[in-house]
Amino acid sequence: MKPTIPKTVAHRLPLYLRRLESLDADGVETVSSHDLARSLGLKDAQVRKDLAYFGTFGRPGVGYPVRELIPKLRAILGTDRTWRLALVGFGNLGHALVSYRGFRRKAFKIEAVFDADLAKIGHRAGDLVVQDIADLVTQVRRLQIPLAILALPAEAAQAAADELVRAGVVGILNFAPVTLDVPAGVAVINVDLTVCLEELAFHVRMARAPASG
Amino acid sequence: MKPTIPKTVAHRLPLYLRRLESLDADGVETVSSHDLARSLGLKDAQVRKDLAYFGTFGRPGVGYPVRELIPKLRAILGTDRTWRLALVGFGNLGHALVSYRGFRRKAFKIEAVFDADLAKIGHRAGDLVVQDIADLVTQVRRLQIPLAILALPAEAAQAAADELVRAGVVGILNFAPVTLDVPAGVAVINVDLTVCLEELAFHVRMARAPASG
DNA sequence: CGATGTGAAGTATTTCACAGCT
DNA sequence: AGCTGTGAAATACTTCACATCG
């Protein structure tokens, strides 16, 4: 009944949600797979197929009901509840993340901040206080925090990831420029800014010299 | 002779480079596709095939020469020269990006910073000064800046992207939570922190309830 | 021998195209 | 008439497996 869901849909579902929320804010009541696809640079059949993995949401001849589909997508993504986060690393990026207003609809909330730098421990981070990374395991376990954002230098990242796993974290958003080694059952999403820029440079270079090496 | 390069290798090449640089720093002289793959969670044949799109770099029975492969990968990615960047948006994230030390080997260098907020214009951003976004087109065109980082709120992002394109920018790293509409020939890499967290939540949810909806 | 480079085989994902609902 | 949901076809990507080289 459920064919296995392609890994790529996990990335597109949030884009559908983002676009639907924008359409809803503009008062749009219904959207066709064709229009939704075009606004995201996709093909209509892909949108229909992606959504169809999870249920029947559209009406032939009409399209998808924007307002109704939003909570359904949230439920699919698991963002119909609040996910508490631990932030590990309070450098420039960590600082920006604490103040980031974009964690949509409060589905994500940073509940603890850690750093190894003694100069930072005890300082305010939004309405939190930066804690010693040595207390990470106890604190994260005590608060039962399920997700973490890792914003540490490369050298410190794997050790911190190990501790997060020991503390019971099941998902890590990793900004450190290393590939983390974690046990099966722990999800990792990697965001390396340099990797992104290198990828961009590569695409630009390809666009200008498609054939040569 | 050149079969078309899968889109996915554009993402893996920077990971190979990152790992090779780390191995080089540790004094490792040679690495096999098997070891390189395992450290990145890939299969050995994939590493070999990816690299083989661009040349013959390995030696049978030995592996890949770490020190020699690094500059070759840089040339492939186009990071054997410095890419100048414009940063558009000097909020929390923009601030972090200016101070980010991870733009490897200085292949990426922010050369101009823009914001629409009058309160920010004229302030120091690293060793630069925040300029009025109204001057974006003239300044970016004058300095011939090829790449941009867009770190603006969703509402302002498309308009800024249009101006960047008008100014001659050919690649955009987009942190704004919208899908940009740009002409063919302009590359875009998207990084939406909320999308990343939603993707993470989805994976965690799947891992715990693989079959149900 | 151990490890590469690579056709061929195997999967996964996307796109087509159309029956059927509104 | 317009648009969904979906098998079937097409394409893209990954993995296998092996001849070949150092």
Side-chain angles (χ1 to χ4, degrees), chain A residues 2 5 7 9-11 13-15 17-18 39-41 54 75-79 83 85 92-93 96-97 99-104 108 147-149 170-173 175-179 185 187-189 191-208 211, chain B residues 2 5 7 9-11 13-15 17-18 39-41 54 75-79 83 85 92-93 96-97 99-104 108 147-149 170-173 175-179 185 187-189 191-208 211:
Chain A
K2 274 284 114 80
I5 294 159
K7 295 194 189 70
V9 318
H11 185 76
L13 291 173
L15 301 182
L17 176 56
R18 194 177 75 180
S39 69
L40 296 170
F54 303 98
I76 291 162
L77 288 167
T79 55
W83 291 84
L85 297 169
N92 290 313
L93 186 57
L97 291 168
S99 331
Y100 188 60
R101 272 167 172 60
F103 292 144
R104 189 150 61 234
F108 300 99
L147 301 181
I149 301 179
V170 290
I172 300 174
L173 177 56
F175 287 93
V178 283
T179 300
V188 178
I189 299 281
V191 179
D192 180 334
L193 299 178
T194 304
V195 165
C196 289
L197 284 174
E198 285 170 335
E199 208 177 326
L200 187 62
F202 179 72
H203 280 121
V204 166
R205 219 174 129 286
M206 285 293 109
R208 304 188 169 281
Chain B
K2 275 282 117 76
I5 294 159
K7 294 194 189 72
V9 317
H11 185 76
L13 291 174
L15 301 181
L17 176 56
R18 194 177 75 179
S39 69
L40 296 170
F54 303 97
I76 291 162
L77 287 167
T79 55
W83 291 83
L85 298 168
N92 290 313
L93 186 58
L97 291 169
S99 332
Y100 188 60
R101 274 166 171 61
F103 293 144
R104 187 152 61 236
F108 301 97
L147 301 182
I149 300 179
V170 290
I172 300 174
L173 177 56
F175 287 94
V178 282
T179 300
V188 178
I189 299 281
V191 180
D192 179 334
L193 299 178
T194 304
V195 165
C196 290
L197 285 174
E198 287 171 333
E199 209 178 326
L200 187 62
F202 179 73
H203 280 120
V204 167
R205 220 174 127 288
M206 284 293 109
R208 301 184 174 282

Side-chain angles (χ1 to χ4, degrees), chain A residues 14-95:
Chain A
L15 301 182
Y16 299 151
L17 176 56
R18 194 177 75 180
R19 181 68 184 139
L20 287 166
E21 287 176 338
S22 166
L23 289 168
D24 187 43
D26 291 349
V28 176
E29 295 186 358
T30 277
V31 67
S32 68
S33 61
H34 179 266
D35 288 355
L36 187 50
R38 201 159 47 94
S39 69
L40 296 170
L42 305 169
K43 289 277 163 60
D44 54 357
Q46 181 147 74
V47 170
R48 293 200 296 277
K49 192 152 272 214
D50 284 354
L51 294 175
Y53 285 118
F54 303 98
T56 300
F57 305 118
R59 284 217 289 292
V62 181
Y64 295 87
V66 173
R67 181 69 65 93
E68 283 166 44
L69 188 47
I70 289 171
K72 282 171 181 162
L73 264 179
R74 290 214 188 99
I76 291 162
L77 288 167
T79 55
D80 51 348
R81 65 160 175 115
T82 300
W83 291 84
R84 288 168 304 117
L85 297 169
L87 169 64
V88 188
F90 194 60
N92 290 313
L93 186 57
H95 201 279

Side-chain angles (χ1 to χ4, degrees), chain A residues 86-138:
Chain A
L87 169 64
V88 188
F90 194 60
N92 290 313
L93 186 57
H95 201 279
L97 291 168
V98 165
S99 331
Y100 188 60
R101 272 167 172 60
F103 292 144
R104 189 150 61 234
R105 289 251 173 182
K106 299 192 171 56
F108 300 99
K109 187 159 185 305
I110 294 174
E111 295 243 315
V113 180
F114 301 92
D115 201 292
D117 185 350
L118 292 171
K120 285 174 193 157
I121 295 165
H123 280 217
R124 298 205 69 75
D127 50 2
L128 300 167
V129 171
V130 179
Q131 299 178 74
D132 191 332
I133 203 168
D135 300 330
L136 188 155
V137 176
T138 2

Side-chain angles (χ1 to χ4, degrees), chain B:
Chain B
M1 182 161 272
K2 275 282 117 76
T4 53
I5 294 159
K7 294 194 189 72
T8 44
V9 317
H11 185 76
R12 286 192 298 265
L13 291 174
L15 301 181
Y16 299 152
L17 176 56
R18 194 177 75 179
R19 180 70 185 140
L20 288 166
E21 287 175 338
S22 166
L23 288 168
D24 187 43
D26 292 349
V28 176
E29 294 185 359
T30 277
V31 67
S32 68
S33 60
H34 179 265
D35 289 354
L36 187 50
R38 202 159 46 93
S39 69
L40 296 170
L42 305 170
K43 289 277 163 61
D44 53 357
Q46 180 146 74
V47 169
R48 293 200 298 278
K49 192 151 272 213
D50 284 354
L51 294 174
Y53 284 118
F54 303 97
T56 301
F57 305 117
R59 286 216 288 292
V62 181
Y64 296 89
V66 173
R67 182 68 65 93
E68 284 165 44
L69 188 46
I70 289 171
K72 283 172 180 159
L73 264 178
R74 289 214 188 98
I76 291 162
L77 287 167
T79 55
D80 51 349
R81 64 157 174 119
T82 300
W83 291 83
R84 289 168 302 118
L85 298 168
L87 169 64
V88 188
F90 194 60
N92 290 313
L93 186 58
H95 200 279
L97 291 169
V98 165
S99 332
Y100 188 60
R101 274 166 171 61
F103 293 144
R104 187 152 61 236
R105 291 251 173 182
K106 298 193 172 55
F108 301 97
K109 188 161 185 303
I110 294 173
E111 295 242 315
V113 180
F114 300 93
D115 202 292
D117 184 351
L118 292 171
K120 288 174 192 156
I121 295 164
H123 280 219
R124 298 204 70 74
D127 50 2
L128 300 168
V129 171
V130 180
Q131 299 179 73
D132 190 332
I133 203 168
D135 300 330
L136 187 154
V137 176
T138 3
Q139 290 300 308
V140 169
R141 188 179 280 151
R142 185 175 67 79
L143 295 166
Q144 301 240 59
I145 296 178
L147 301 182
I149 300 179
L150 197 41
L152 243 32
E155 313 77 60
Q158 182 60 57
D162 293 346
E163 303 209 326
L164 286 168
V165 170
R166 268 208 296 144
V169 157
V170 290
I172 300 174
L173 177 56
N174 175 41
F175 287 94
V178 282
T179 300
L180 298 176
D181 183 15
V182 297
V186 177
V188 178
I189 299 281
N190 292 293
V191 180
D192 179 334
L193 299 178
T194 304
V195 165
C196 290
L197 285 174
E198 287 171 333
E199 209 178 326
L200 187 62
F202 179 73
H203 280 120
V204 167
R205 220 174 127 288
M206 284 293 109
R208 301 184 174 282
S212 93

